[in-house]
């Protein structure tokens, strides 16, 4: 089947594709706010109707929360599943928006035309790049180049409470050869990227209790144990002089970076000074024997996210607090076990707590890292297809954050996932004035057409 005709149609119909995206963006599908439940339902209905318009057997599936949309098309060739989410973040504070968040518009900026609206980048614009690529294939050829399952969620921005039960109950309906996820971005706004590593996350809240009440520092300062001193001393030892986490067995399961992946990353020419300079810093911290990019994408971390105790209001109060608390999180890679790390962290803290103090822990999530096997031929096929569309060759990259759905595809459906997105660092997702570059929408659609063509040729 001719790819050129599909790409030409995508170019010629960009204005129509943009208007369809605008229709979806006008629906305020804020999943976390019950006031927008009907809007989330409307967004699901809109997607079902749009998929049906290109011949997809699509249905809306109810859940205890917002509905899932699943559709199928094609009866030959490799089978791919495409995942996206139609729900969006709240828009507050509304006064910081330059226009109605749900009144999308094209705007000229110093970096080119952008689509301005909530959800334009995260994730409606990204989702529709794939749908529009499929529309072009169906219009030109009357069929898709391979078997495709569409899977659209409505609760991603509110913790996905219905996702795992739905996937467990519908394995036969969702299982494919490989999953495609469009909820990531370009590297440095110009290099197409396929995310193959996602860090896991484990969080823990620690509370040290000393005296049974707050004390006057003039009366008790010196002989009385100060929980803030205890806590800060413990947390001050969380890293050694080389920036490594000191919790016992923390690095069990951390793999070495493959040489070919390291070479790709080095070729990205990531500049520490530029990256840190954007946030007012200049000197990389962390593990001294790894580059900043390696630390973000392929190395684990231990970070103190918040700490409090005693009097923190206006003015001054000379108090020895009864309690001191902190929130600590660990980003995980490779085969690190979040539950083992939680247990080892607690033992490590307990061993340093004085006899006349107590410690309490409150867990906050525990998800392992996701590592996709690039041995699957679809990965190299997609990388080649992306390289044909964009000026810079595509690279396999890591992601410092966590995208749980990729791990769920592996653990629940035994499928690897390719995360390919066209967002940019300044898209302002989750913030006022979110935008999506029109070029990303256009070239993203062309990219998916190329990827479908490449994947369809795999045996």
């Amino acid at each position: 089947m001719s790819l050129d005709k599909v790409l030409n149609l995508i170019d010629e119909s960009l204005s129509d594709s943009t208007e369809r995206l605008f229709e979806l963006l006008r629906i305020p599908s804020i999943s976390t706010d019950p006031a927008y439940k009907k809007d989330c339902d409307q967004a699901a209905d809109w997607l079902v109707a749009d998929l049906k318009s290109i011949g997809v057997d699509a249905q809306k599936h109810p859940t205890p929360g917002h509905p899932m949309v699943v559709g199928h098309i094609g009866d030959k060739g490799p089978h791919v599943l495409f995942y996206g989410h139609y729900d969006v973040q709240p828009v507050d504070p509304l006064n910081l928006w330059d226009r109605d968040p749900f009144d999308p518009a094209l705007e000229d900026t110093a970096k080119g035309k952008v689509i301005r609206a909530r959800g334009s980048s995260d994730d409606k614009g990204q989702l529709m790049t794939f749908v529009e690529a499929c529309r072009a294939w169906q219009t030109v050829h009357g069929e898709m180049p391979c078997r495709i399952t569409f899977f659209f969620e409505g609760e991603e921005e509110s913790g996905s409470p219905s996702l795992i039960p739905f996937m467990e109950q519908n394995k036969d309906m969702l299982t494919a050869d490989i999953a495609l996820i469009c909820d990531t971005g370009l590297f440095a706004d110009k290099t197409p990227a396929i995310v193959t590593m996602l860090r896991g996350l484990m969080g823990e809240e620690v509370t040290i209790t000393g005296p049974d009440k707050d004390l006057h520092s003039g009366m008790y300062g010196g002989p009385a144990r100060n929980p803030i001193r205890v806590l800060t001393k413990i947390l001050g030892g969380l890293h050694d002089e080389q920036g490594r986490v000191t919790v016992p067995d923390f690095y069990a399961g951390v793999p070495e970076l493959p040489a070919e992946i390291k070479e790709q990353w080095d070729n990205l020419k990531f500049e520490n000074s530029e990256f840190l300079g954007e946030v007012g810093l200049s000197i990389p911290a962390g593990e001294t024997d790894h580059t900043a990019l390696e630390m973000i994408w392929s190395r684990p971390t231990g970070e103190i996210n918040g700490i409090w105790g005693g009097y923190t209001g206006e003015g001054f109060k000379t108090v020895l607090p009864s309690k001191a608390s902190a929130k600590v999180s660990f980003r995980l890679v490779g085969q690190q076990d979040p539950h083992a790390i939680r247990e080892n962290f607690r033992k490590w803290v307990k061993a340093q707590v004085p006899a006349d103090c107590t410690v309490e822990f409150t867990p906050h999530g525990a998800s392992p890292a996701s590592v996709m096997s690039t041995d699957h031929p679809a990965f190299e096929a997609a990388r080649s297809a992306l390289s044909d569309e964009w000026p810079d060759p595509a690279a396999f990259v890591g992601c410092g954050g966590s995208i749980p759905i990729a791990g769920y595809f592996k653990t629940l459906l035994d499928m690897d996932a390719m995360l390919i997105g066209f967002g940019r660092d300044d898209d302002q997702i989750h913030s006022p004035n979110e935008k999506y570059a029109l070029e990303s929408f256009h070239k993203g659609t062309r990219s998916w057409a190329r990827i479908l063509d490449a994947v369809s040729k795999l045996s």
Side-chain angles (χ1 to χ4, degrees), residues 154-449:
E155 299 178 338
E156 196 273 348
E157 300 289 12
S158 52
S160 299
S162 304
L163 183 61
I164 291 178
F166 185 82
M167 293 177 71
E168 290 177 334
Q169 294 163 15
N170 296 279
K171 290 182 180 181
D172 292 344
M173 183 169 63
L174 298 175
T175 301
D177 297 323
I178 197 163
L180 309 174
I181 302 172
C182 194
D183 198 7
T184 52
L186 303 167
F187 178 80
D189 295 349
K190 61 179 181 178
T191 302
I194 301 175
V195 175
T196 63
M197 302 175 186
L198 290 163
R199 292 196 292 189
L201 182 63
M202 189 278 282
E204 191 83 342
E205 185 172 320
V206 183
T207 298
I208 303 287
T209 300
D212 59 9
K213 60 175 111 14
D214 290 353
L215 303 175
H216 189 293
S217 65
M219 297 291 293
Y220 286 91
R225 191 77 66 177
N226 186 331
I228 295 178
R229 285 179 58 189
V230 174
L231 181 61
T232 55
K233 181 179 180 181
I234 293 171
L235 296 181
L238 187 59
H239 301 86
D240 64 18
E241 291 300 316
Q242 286 72 46
R244 291 173 60 87
V245 175
T246 57
V247 175
D249 298 323
F250 180 74
Y251 290 92
V254 176
E256 290 299 318
L257 188 65
E260 64 274 15
I261 298 297
K262 180 173 173 52
E263 182 180 2
Q264 286 186 30
W265 292 5
D266 290 342
N267 290 336
L268 294 173
K269 295 179 171 54
F270 181 85
E271 293 290 341
N272 292 342
S273 57
E274 182 178 339
F275 173 71
L276 293 173
E278 291 178 352
V279 294
L281 299 172
S282 59
I283 303 172
E287 295 175 286
T288 56
D289 56 345
H290 291 278
T291 68
L293 199 57
E294 290 170 3
M295 284 188 271
I296 297 168
W297 287 351
S298 67
R299 299 298 298 174
T301 66
E303 296 292 350
I304 303 163
N305 305 121
I307 188 165
W308 65 97
Y311 181 71
T312 59
E314 293 293 330
F316 202 89
K317 185 179 180 182
T318 54
V319 65
L320 296 182
S322 171
K323 298 177 183 290
S325 301
K327 296 180 186 291
V328 182
S329 67
F330 298 89
R331 295 282 178 177
L332 311 178
V333 303
Q335 300 302 312
Q336 283 182 294
D337 182 344
H339 302 289
I341 289 173
R342 186 190 305 283
E343 184 63 27
N344 290 339
F345 173 71
R346 290 183 175 185
K347 289 180 180 177
W348 179 78
V349 171
K350 289 177 180 177
Q352 301 177 72
V353 174
D356 57 351
C357 292
T358 60
V359 60
E360 295 178 86
F361 300 95
T362 303
H364 289 278
S367 59
S370 298
V371 181
M372 275 54 87
S373 172
T374 56
D375 292 338
H376 193 296
F379 279 84
E380 191 55 45
R383 191 166 80 92
S384 178
L386 286 166
S387 298
D388 289 340
E389 178 62 33
W390 296 82
D392 291 351
F396 295 136
V397 304
C399 178
S402 305
I403 303 177
I405 182 65
Y408 299 155
F409 281 134
K410 188 66 176 178
T411 58
L412 300 179
L413 303 181
D414 195 27
M415 294 161 48
D416 279 317
M418 286 197 295
L419 294 99
I420 303 171
F422 310 100
R424 299 185 177 184
D425 291 341
D426 63 354
D427 278 348
Q428 297 167 245
I429 62 173
H430 296 196
S431 300
N433 300 310
E434 180 180 351
K435 60 184 174 62
Y436 192 41
L438 184 63
E439 180 188 41
S440 288
F441 182 59
H442 181 203
K443 290 179 75 64
T445 303
R446 287 174 56 95
S447 296
W448 283 121

Side-chain angles (χ1 to χ4, degrees), residues 8-19:
N8 289 339
L9 180 59
I10 290 171
D11 296 343
E12 294 165 2
S13 59
L14 179 59
S15 60
D16 292 336
S17 299
T18 305
E19 180 51 41

